[in-house]
Amino acid sequence: MSFPLLARSITPAPPPPAAIPPPPFLSQRVHIPSHIYKHPTAILLELCNSMKELQQILPHIIKNGLYKEHLFETKLVSLFTKYGSLNDATKVFDFAKLKVDPMYHTMLKGHTHHSNLDSSLAFYSRLRYDDVTPVIYNFSYLLKACADNSDVVKGKQIHAQLILHGFSDSLFAMTSVMNLYAKCGMVGDAYKMFDRMPERDLVCWNTVISGYAQNGMSKRALELVLRMQEEGCNRPDSVTIVSILPACGAIGSFKMGKLIHGYVFRNGFESLVNVLTALVDMYAKCGSVGTARLVFDKMDSKTVVSVNAMIDGYARNGYYDEALIIFQKMLDEGFKPTNVTIMSTLHACAETRNIELGQYVHKLVNQLGLGSNVAVVNSLISMYCKCQRVDIAAELFENLRGKTLVSWNAMILGYAQNGCVMDALTHFCKMHLMNIKPDSFTMVSVVTALAELSVLRQAKWIHGFAVRTCLNRNVFVATALVDMYAKCGAVHTARKLFDMMDDRHVTTWNAMIDGYGTHGFGKEAVELFEEMRKGHVEPNDITFLCVISACSHSGFVEKGHNYFTIMREEYNLEPSMDHYGAMVDLIGRAGRLSEAWNFIDNMPIRPGLNVYGAMLGACKIHKNVDLGEKAADKLFELDPDDGGYHVLLANMYATASIWHKVANVRTMMERKGIQKTPGWSLVDLRNEVHTFYSGSTSHPQSEKIYAYLEKLFDRIKAAGYIPDTDSIHDVEDVVQEQLLKSHSEKLAIAFGLLNTSAGTTIHIRKNLRVCGDCHTATKYISLVMKREIIVRDMHRFHHFKDGVCSCGDYW
């Protein structure tokens, strides 16, 4: 809307009759003729309730030549700013010849509400340049704008202006300053101002309480609420309640939350949607999602924020299917999802691996215009990575503008979770080259990736990087480093780091116990677990899984049984399917196969794949074909297309020399199109990872490797090695030996021996379980070559030295 460049001067006239007072939004110094403020169009402006109505009134103002009248200029500035049309308000203001102080104040309010902070401050400078005296509300609006932008530097400048203009004693003004400091994370400074106030109203108390709650100081926020009641001047209102309920949720104080809920009920706040929404959120964060649902269902009217709280509550507590049901119901009832809705729903999709619904939500994101929302795209990246579609996640990441540190972290973690270790490292290096500083989440993701790579040199490099950036002091980074060193074969280094930590999380203890277990150091794992029980960190379900697995690897059957019992009786932890699988492995690996089968029969829940898989593995080790076939039948009922279990069954038959059944399994695999996972082993040498597949000849040094193996096998045969050909049938003896020699770990070991100096430890990473012949051969190689060889297979570590393995041939 355009306006004439000139507005006519207002001619002085006698004051209006006393019976008709001038409109309240004008200065008393400006005279407005009665025919102007009584004009029907002026009355229409007074009744205007929307931008649409204002646009309908504007033609009447222009048609009647009223756009030059001061009354209409002032009212138009006020309405344009109210409805967010700051450009039109500016045009009216700039064309007005007579600019009274209230017009400046209205324009400044408009800038703080509908423009950026710099524009607001620029208009304030104009206000001062035009010699307009600021009023207290000018400063409150500017301080709020600084707080919303977390710009404490400019906020302090406004604070100084406020003091210069004599408002330092105003409770209203000082509350605005407190709000600024609290929202900028300087809650200590906010409290200093609060403490110096001679008198405090409820708004003042709410501001400082909210400041502590929003800055993660929940206990302090709750203490202030109690202090406010003790001083007796103010009682908590609904704003106080909405501020402190998130504080209860943050510290998991269910008891305090229930007390506040009682206060809500006694004081008649139970009909307020924002209070009930805060209660839903609090109960969910305290783990009482059932109570949260009761509050949610009793709400007479729900907002999208209420629904978001319930979806997030279910997702946060692991009730992902329920979260998705609420989301679907929300769409059916016509609620428009927000970015918060989308992110919570995508989290549930990710955890349930529900890529179909995830892709539907992705389409919804584009329909809602949220495709450029960085936080939403980050959630999409995480969802696709968890659903093993890292390719789609990578495409989203590459096309994302305004990537944040969270974006990089999501992509790096996604690569790590999907076994794309080199991609994770490449992105980490790109991030470093772009001068994006990593945080603890970045480090945990990269360290996790390197743990899977299992290359000690790389582990030391990332450890050094963490030390140089001081991130190694973070308990979660330190825990990841402990886990990484254990998975890179350096379990003693892991223990040194563990002992150096001042603060240990339950995950830290779990990592160290699991590290000992996978290395076959069952005694050390049990001792560490007992030490943990005596301390202040309580074991969780993962701790028991780690210690039972450690007992399984070392043959401590009775100890494992005991820990399974005390898990329920002393710690009230209900065993999961993983715990039952670990128990079957513990009992079955020890050769007590009938006992293991009875354990399965008496399980209170339906046995899963891992339970029958552990049983089949034990039957393969101990050549119990009858129970092995029963376990295999159950496995194929649950998942008829799993190649790994078909191969395990065939290997069991081969171990028992039942060759016609081996052929039957292989025929069944061919008919179903199931392929055996190719075995590979990798070894690190001079900043390069070399990968070998069984029987491969593609490596540049293949001729040297195979020639070296011929001589090496002559030496270990002389030392007593006898090839284990039980698993190979229908070929001549010479061919059997050649097939055994070409196993991937033997190729990797030969390469390592060829390319490293005497005495150097060789680290091998293998994707499958070490076969019996390779295990025996590696023991003899370590003896005749006087080398320590550390092999990490899919289940555990084997430390070969002087002809002995750390597993004691129990694996």
Side-chain angles (χ1 to χ4, degrees), residues 292-397:
R293 183 61 190 264
L294 286 173
V295 175
F296 179 78
D297 287 341
K298 288 181 179 178
M299 294 174 69
D300 293 329
S301 61
K302 299 180 181 75
T303 65
V304 69
V305 180
S306 314
V307 181
N308 288 348
M310 198 64 250
I311 293 172
D312 181 67
Y314 273 131
R316 183 186 296 274
N317 286 278
Y319 297 97
Y320 305 114
D321 291 334
E322 288 82 353
L324 297 176
I325 290 169
I326 293 285
F327 172 70
Q328 189 60 57
K329 189 177 179 182
M330 170 190 187
L331 296 180
D332 294 341
E333 291 177 358
F335 283 101
K336 183 180 178 182
T338 66
N339 59 332
V340 176
T341 321
I342 296 297
M343 289 188 286
S344 297
T345 306
L346 286 171
H347 173 57
C349 292
E351 295 302 325
T352 54
R353 307 298 189 267
N354 190 339
I355 192 166
E356 289 81 10
L357 183 57
Q359 288 174 326
Y360 169 75
V361 175
H362 189 175
K363 290 179 183 177
L364 194 60
V365 165
N366 295 326
Q367 292 170 11
L368 294 167
L370 294 170
S372 59
N373 184 302
V374 176
V376 169
V377 177
N378 291 343
S379 296
L380 281 169
I381 290 169
S382 296
M383 182 273 294
Y384 279 118
C385 287
K386 286 251 178 116
C387 292
Q388 298 182 330
R389 288 305 306 269
V390 71
D391 54 325
I392 301 176
E395 186 179 350
L396 283 168
F397 178 80

Side-chain angles (χ1 to χ4, degrees), residues 482 486 491 494-495 498 507-517 525 528:
V482 168
V491 69
R495 183 56 192 263
F498 177 87
T507 54
T508 317
W509 290 89
N510 294 349
M512 195 65 245
I513 292 169
D514 184 59
Y516 274 136
L528 189 61

Side-chain angles (χ1 to χ4, degrees), residues 134-299:
V135 294
I136 193 169
Y137 298 102
N138 297 152
F139 297 112
S140 67
Y141 291 137
L142 288 169
L143 286 166
K144 185 178 183 304
C146 292
D148 291 342
N149 285 273
S150 299
D151 196 331
V152 74
V153 175
K154 291 188 174 81
K156 284 183 175 181
Q157 293 172 356
I158 300 301
H159 185 186
Q161 284 285 309
L162 185 149
I163 294 169
L164 286 172
H165 286 85
F167 295 120
S168 57
D169 293 331
S170 165
L171 185 62
F172 175 77
M174 288 303 102
T175 302
S176 297
V177 176
M178 281 171 49
N179 179 61
L180 162 77
Y181 288 128
K183 284 194 173 178
C184 291
M186 300 172 66
V187 69
D189 290 339
Y191 183 75
K192 285 177 184 177
M193 299 200 65
F194 171 82
D195 210 32
R196 292 171 188 161
M197 289 181 173
E199 58 175 313
R200 308 179 186 104
D201 61 5
L202 183 56
V203 176
C204 186
W205 279 98
N206 285 344
T207 301
V208 74
I209 290 167
S210 175
Y212 275 109
Q214 290 170 357
N215 282 277
M217 302 178 189
S218 302
K219 289 184 179 178
R220 182 66 176 138
L222 293 168
E223 287 169 3
L224 282 168
V225 175
L226 295 174
R227 179 181 157 189
M228 179 177 78
Q229 291 180 287
E230 287 168 1
E231 292 188 6
C233 300
N234 298 281
R235 285 175 58 81
D237 65 356
S238 61
V239 177
T240 322
I241 300 302
V242 171
S243 297
I244 59 171
L245 281 172
C248 295
I251 59 174
S253 182
F254 180 75
K255 184 178 180 181
M256 181 64 77
K258 284 185 73 177
L259 289 172
I260 295 169
H261 192 173
Y263 181 88
V264 166
F265 187 79
R266 290 191 302 273
N267 288 273
F269 297 139
E270 71 274 10
S271 61
L272 300 178
V273 175
N274 61 338
V275 172
L276 293 175
T277 299
L279 281 168
V280 169
D281 182 66
M282 179 275 295
Y283 280 123
K285 285 178 178 173
C286 289
S288 184
V289 72
T291 310
R293 183 61 190 264
L294 286 173
V295 175
F296 179 78
D297 287 341
K298 288 181 179 178
M299 294 174 69

Side-chain angles (χ1 to χ4, degrees), residues 4-5 7 70 73 91-99 103:
L5 290 173
H70 183 76
E73 289 173 335
K91 289 174 185 175
V92 176
F93 178 82
D94 287 341
F95 300 152
K97 188 171 183 180
L98 179 62
K99 297 180 177 70
M103 291 180 74

Side-chain angles (χ1 to χ4, degrees), residues 667-686:
T667 301
M668 180 169 57
M669 289 175 68
E670 287 177 11
R671 189 174 65 250
K672 292 181 178 180
I674 300 171
Q675 293 186 342
K676 178 182 177 181
T677 302
W680 54 257
S681 298
L682 59 84
V683 59
D684 176 60
L685 181 71
R686 302 185 191 97

Side-chain angles (χ1 to χ4, degrees), residues 593 616-626 628-629 646-663 665-666 676 724-729 740 743 769-773 811:
L593 299 176
L616 179 58
C619 291
K620 186 259 179 188
I621 293 170
H622 297 287
K623 302 180 183 179
N624 190 319
V625 175
D626 292 338
E629 287 179 330
H646 283 81
V647 171
L648 187 56
L649 178 63
N651 288 344
M652 181 189 72
Y653 287 139
T655 303
S657 298
I658 308 176
W659 300 109
H660 71 281
K661 290 196 174 183
V662 173
V665 174
R666 289 175 179 169
K676 178 182 177 181
D724 180 6
T725 58
D726 287 347
S727 60
I728 304 174
H729 180 56
L740 290 174
H743 281 193
R769 184 177 182 270
V770 172
C771 75
D773 182 73
W811 91 100

